[in-house]
Amino acid sequence: MASESRATHPPSGNLIVIGGGFGGIAAALRARALGYDVTLLDRLEQLGGRGRVVEHDGFRFDAGPTVITAPFLLEELFTLFGETLSHHVTLLPVFPFYRVRFIDGHSFDLSGDPAAMRAEVARFSSADRAGYEKMLRHSAELYRVGYERYGATPFHEFATMLKAFPALLRLGGHRSVYGIVRRYLRDESLRRVFTLQPLLVGGHPFHTSGVYALIQHLERAHGVWFAKGGTGALVAALGALMERQGITIRLQADVGRLLHENGRITGVALATGETLPASRVIANADAPAIYADLLPGMKRRRWTDRRLDRLDYSMGLFVFYFGTDRRYENTAHHTILLGERYRALLDEIFGRPDHVPEDLSLYLHRPTATDPGMAPPGQDAFYVLAPVPNLRSGIDWAAAAPRLRDRLVSMLETRELPGLSQAIVTESWMTPETFRRDYRSRHGAGFSVSPRLTQSAWFRFHNRSEEVAGLYLVGAGTHPGAGLPGVLTSAKVVEALLRDERG
Ligand SMILES: Cc1cc2nc3c(=O)[nH]c(=O)nc-3n(C[C@H](O)[C@H](O)[C@H](O)COP(=O)(O)OP(=O)(O)OC[C@H]3O[C@@H](n4cnc5c(N)ncnc54)[C@H](O)[C@@H]3O)c2cc1C
């Protein structure tokens, strides 16, 4: 059965993908469709990278991505082989997209319903109605240029940057997301609602390139979805697709070193000492870690240790997964609980304090709002995510984690989930230490290097390595950036480069 649906490819040589995150999986499939004999290696015992699944006591928790946007990028991976995504996974629409709850208890429901959105904006500030419409038009234009024209364009040549610059400047790409939104909206609460999105890709809204204001349009135009069975169901469907297409998947295969001769990749060496030859390698491991750790002894031209140290890394994440013995029917699927401070809190998190800030803004995930099957009957599965300083801050997470867990439970109990401390029946957590240990994320950053303008497009890690020929990079640290749409698009860039190399 499996071999019947397998596409036939002209032979292209053997290729290894290091890392089974969404970027690595998409790159493996795209390389397979080009005819490469593909082996995917991941050091963990499951596929999915940050999209892995944590299961305990009958509850199913997606460890990372939960907001599925740009579903067409997932569809494309099935279409490559004449298949259809919906035959394997059901995507459920999420309404509202997010609920943003302010410290005084007021909330704003963000959705794709234009009338409901206009009413929400007017409820907060009728003076901002016209500005809101203008902001949407600006976001749509950013999407056309920043995503449709340049998202999947390889940016390893500065000439591409020069060509893109005038259009990006005209649209305010040199400003921050907050800088763009501020021009259209006067109400500070609305400004917060419409500048939160960079946090989903690891960016400080006051420093992330305004190009990321395109996310408003992306969500409106293509919706926000949740995979039935969770993001893990998507990973499983992609894993099965890889197997049907003859991609070899090896889990618990930790790559210790890239092998190269005369400036050209020749394979990889596992931590066990086993070597695997390859004519091409696509690395989905954290981009700075690839250069810092996998090319020992090599004199690097561009990505020197000094340069890697000077980069700005995204914030860390503390994620607390818990199940409750009851359902909280009034809580939306995605809720953002804002703290008292906005810019000052962000500055503190993105600075390097040696402590977890006193007030916090939180993202609360309740998948059982859309898919009750994520928990036993009558119960709820949750995670709450707190952006925190990354490991550069020196916080001792062994001591800080239990304290932060208690603070989060108490905050949630007061603001959103009454009786929570008595309702929790199962729990676990991840700290920036877990990100460093499990995903080999440099400084335990949640989203690799941050998406500042000076770390975007040509300035970001190139998808074709300038250090070793035949080495390609895919995933959050590379162009165009973090988040599922970003990493799935980075695989398209790699596909374009592989095609280009073949002429
Ligand atoms: C808590 C959280 C919530 C998020 N929410 C969303 C969301 O709602 N929507 C959204 O779009 N995005 C979200 N994101 C961002 C998104 O999940 C990531 O940007 C994306 O999944 C990263 O994919 P990637 O391809 O870069 O690989 P990763 O997921 O980082 O996977 C890389 C893999 O490489 C493996 N690896 C590393 N080094 C080696 C080695 N030496 N040998 C073998 N294997 C190795 C790692 O084990 C890992 O499995 C979230 C992220 C987090 C952490």
Side-chain angles (χ1 to χ4, degrees), residues 17-26 41-52 62-69 98 199-202 225 231 250-257 269-271 283-287 289-290 293-294 317-319 321 334 363 365 383-385 430 435 437-441 445-448 474-478 481-488 490:
V17 178
I18 306 170
F22 272 89
I25 292 173
L41 311 169
D42 197 296
R43 59 184 308 278
L44 298 177
E45 60 296 326
Q46 304 180 30
L47 271 179
R50 282 155 163 83
R52 67 180 162 164
D62 285 313
T66 57
V67 182
I68 305 297
T69 52
Y98 322 91
L199 288 165
L200 296 178
V201 290
W225 306 86
T231 306
R250 280 185 63 180
L251 300 175
Q252 295 179 296
D254 195 357
V255 175
R257 210 153 45 90
L270 301 186
N284 177 225
D286 189 32
I290 293 166
D293 304 332
L294 298 187
L317 302 171
F318 180 82
V319 197
Y321 308 88
H334 302 292
Y363 158 58
H365 183 225
Y383 82 51
V384 61
L385 179 158
M430 282 174 64
F435 280 74
R437 186 195 63 212
D438 288 2
Y439 306 136
R440 295 266 164 78
S441 181
F447 307 84
S448 193
V474 73
T478 72
L484 297 191
V487 304
L488 292 171
S490 72

Side-chain angles (χ1 to χ4, degrees), residues 256-260 265 289-300 465 467-468 471:
R257 210 153 45 90
L258 293 170
L259 304 176
H260 52 98
I265 204 88
I290 293 166
Y291 290 122
D293 304 332
L294 298 187
L295 289 166
M298 183 184 183
K299 190 163 161 41
R300 285 166 264 136
S465 172
E467 308 293 348
V468 190
L471 172 64

Side-chain angles (χ1 to χ4, degrees), residues 10-293:
S12 299
N14 69 331
L15 180 151
I16 286 177
V17 178
I18 306 170
F22 272 89
I25 292 173
L29 287 165
R30 288 184 179 278
R32 181 72 193 120
L34 289 179
Y36 288 95
D37 190 359
V38 180
T39 300
L40 183 143
L41 311 169
D42 197 296
R43 59 184 308 278
L44 298 177
E45 60 296 326
Q46 304 180 30
L47 271 179
R50 282 155 163 83
R52 67 180 162 164
V53 176
V54 183
E55 278 182 282
H56 34 90
D57 302 321
F59 293 82
R60 191 174 159 85
F61 303 97
D62 285 313
T66 57
V67 182
I68 305 297
T69 52
F72 56 89
L73 290 168
L74 294 161
E75 186 70 64
E76 282 176 14
L77 298 175
F78 287 84
T79 310
L80 284 175
F81 306 100
E83 296 199 27
T84 306
L85 171 68
S86 61
H87 292 169
H88 305 278
V89 193
T90 305
L91 291 184
L92 304 167
V94 176
F95 187 89
F97 290 170
Y98 322 91
R99 174 164 297 153
V100 182
R101 201 179 281 294
F102 295 91
I103 193 86
D104 63 4
H106 275 79
S107 61
F108 184 105
D109 278 0
L110 236 137
S111 74
D113 176 344
M117 282 297 285
R118 281 190 203 110
E120 280 294 81
V121 169
R123 191 164 66 82
F124 271 70
S125 162
S126 58
D128 279 325
R129 280 183 300 193
Y132 168 70
E133 303 293 339
K134 284 188 196 151
M135 182 185 74
L136 288 185
R137 286 198 288 278
H138 190 155
S139 175
E141 185 63 10
L142 276 168
Y143 180 80
R144 266 188 292 281
V145 175
Y147 184 75
E148 290 184 337
R149 197 185 308 165
Y150 289 114
T153 301
F155 263 94
H156 57 285
E157 286 171 356
F158 194 63
T160 318
M161 190 78 200
L162 285 178
K163 214 166 122 198
F165 233 63
L168 295 177
L169 283 185
R170 180 175 58 79
L171 289 170
H174 57 298
R175 295 180 204 279
S176 67
V177 168
Y178 192 91
I180 287 190
V181 170
R182 185 181 51 193
R183 288 166 65 201
Y184 296 112
L185 302 175
R186 275 171 275 178
D187 182 79
E188 181 51 29
S189 297
L190 288 181
R191 287 178 175 177
R192 291 183 185 189
V193 166
F194 292 104
T195 54
L196 286 167
Q197 291 73 12
L199 288 165
L200 296 178
V201 290
H204 185 317
F206 290 78
H207 299 306
T208 299
S209 164
V211 175
Y212 279 86
L214 66 77
I215 298 176
Q216 300 293 345
H217 181 79
L218 175 82
E219 291 179 348
R220 263 172 72 92
H222 300 287
V224 169
W225 306 86
F226 185 69
K228 189 166 169 44
T231 306
L234 267 176
V235 173
L238 289 165
L241 176 63
M242 287 198 287
E243 279 173 1
R244 283 197 294 282
Q245 295 307 323
I247 294 174
T248 305
I249 302 169
R250 280 185 63 180
L251 300 175
Q252 295 179 296
D254 195 357
V255 175
R257 210 153 45 90
L258 293 170
L259 304 176
H260 52 98
E261 267 173 41
N262 303 324
R264 188 160 184 100
I265 204 88
T266 56
V268 306
L270 301 186
T272 53
E274 183 187 355
T275 59
L276 302 169
S279 61
R280 315 261 177 316
V281 170
I282 303 176
N284 177 225
D286 189 32
I290 293 166
Y291 290 122
D293 304 332

